[in-house]
Amino acid sequence: MDERERLIVALDVPSFEEAEKIVKTLGDEVIFYKVGLQLYTSAGPQVIKYLKELGKKVFLDLKLHDIPNTVAETVSVASSYNVDMMTIHTFGGFEMMEVAQKRAWKPDGNQVILLGVTILTSLDQAFLNDFLGVDRNLKDEILQLASLAKSAGLSGVVASPNEVRDIKLQCGEEFIVVTPGIRPEGYDSMDHARSASPKEAIIMGADYIVVGRPIVQSDDPLKSAREIQEKIRNGLSQRP
Ligand code: C5P
């Protein structure tokens, strides 16, 4: 893998034009982009087509959660656009994950990296106990959902940096972990309760890191992206 692919920049902007501006600014420094609900709702498949024509990789982060057939058909359509990575909610159930995985193939015959979302970081222990009525520790529940995702055939999960080690221990090194909530050293953690620096996340074993605002809202996005790429290379060289 080209190590620059490990940085996934979240294009959390409201329009195609704004996304295009960022992609042009970042040039060759960034290969992988995340298109989330906001940009996809605004710009649709056009933004995926644009990125793919530039030779970029696309993480379509729609966090799908519906009945198995609907999710599987949606994964199939997205796969036909050549997206490289997608998310579905593990809470959609085992069958949903299993049938979605079967449809996660690109026209060139390569697999789309299908990731499970476990428990959103905006939710906490009280949500598990009081809202769902599940009497289990939050971390154990996350590990359980990651294991189920693996059994259903998914390629990996999205998780916070401090869960990476346990997930790799439980599901194996090859099970992909993508971590958002990344903040360069000295940067405000903003709304992430448990953030880590790019280097820390890579040393902990994250396969890919997702970075949005520290690059997209930077005064100098290219410089910020360069610095993060450097930290990733640094982290890789320091992995145990
Ligand atoms: O701007 P920032 O770097 O915080 O962006 C983080 C990105 O990661 C956002 O696109 C957000 O939707 C995503 N995210 C996620 N799962 C989380 C936390 C953030 O997918 N638990």
Side-chain angles (χ1 to χ4, degrees), residues 10 12 34 61 63 121 158 180 182-183 191-192 210-214:
D12 293 331
K34 182 169 93 75
D61 185 23
K63 299 187 174 74
T121 45
V158 179
I182 302 297
R183 292 294 171 261
D191 39 13
H192 293 293
V210 176
V211 183
R213 289 164 289 179

Side-chain angles (χ1 to χ4, degrees), residues 187-238:
Y187 200 95
D188 192 309
S189 73
M190 289 176 172
D191 39 13
H192 293 293
R194 295 161 310 193
S195 64
S197 74
K199 187 169 148 187
E200 284 166 343
I202 291 290
I203 292 176
M204 285 189 266
D207 296 281
Y208 299 88
I209 62 171
V210 176
V211 183
R213 289 164 289 179
I215 292 177
V216 170
Q217 292 181 8
S218 163
D219 292 336
D220 189 343
L222 182 59
K223 179 165 173 265
S224 304
R226 271 201 188 116
E227 284 169 1
I228 293 174
Q229 292 288 27
E230 179 59 33
K231 299 286 182 196
I232 292 174
R233 283 192 288 274
N234 226 301
L236 285 168
S237 68
Q238 287 181 35

Side-chain angles (χ1 to χ4, degrees), residues 2 20 34 36 69 94 104 110 140-142 149 220 225 234:
D2 181 334
E20 191 182 27
K34 182 169 93 75
N69 183 61
F94 197 84
N110 287 316
D140 291 341
E141 178 68 15
I142 290 169
D220 189 343
N234 226 301

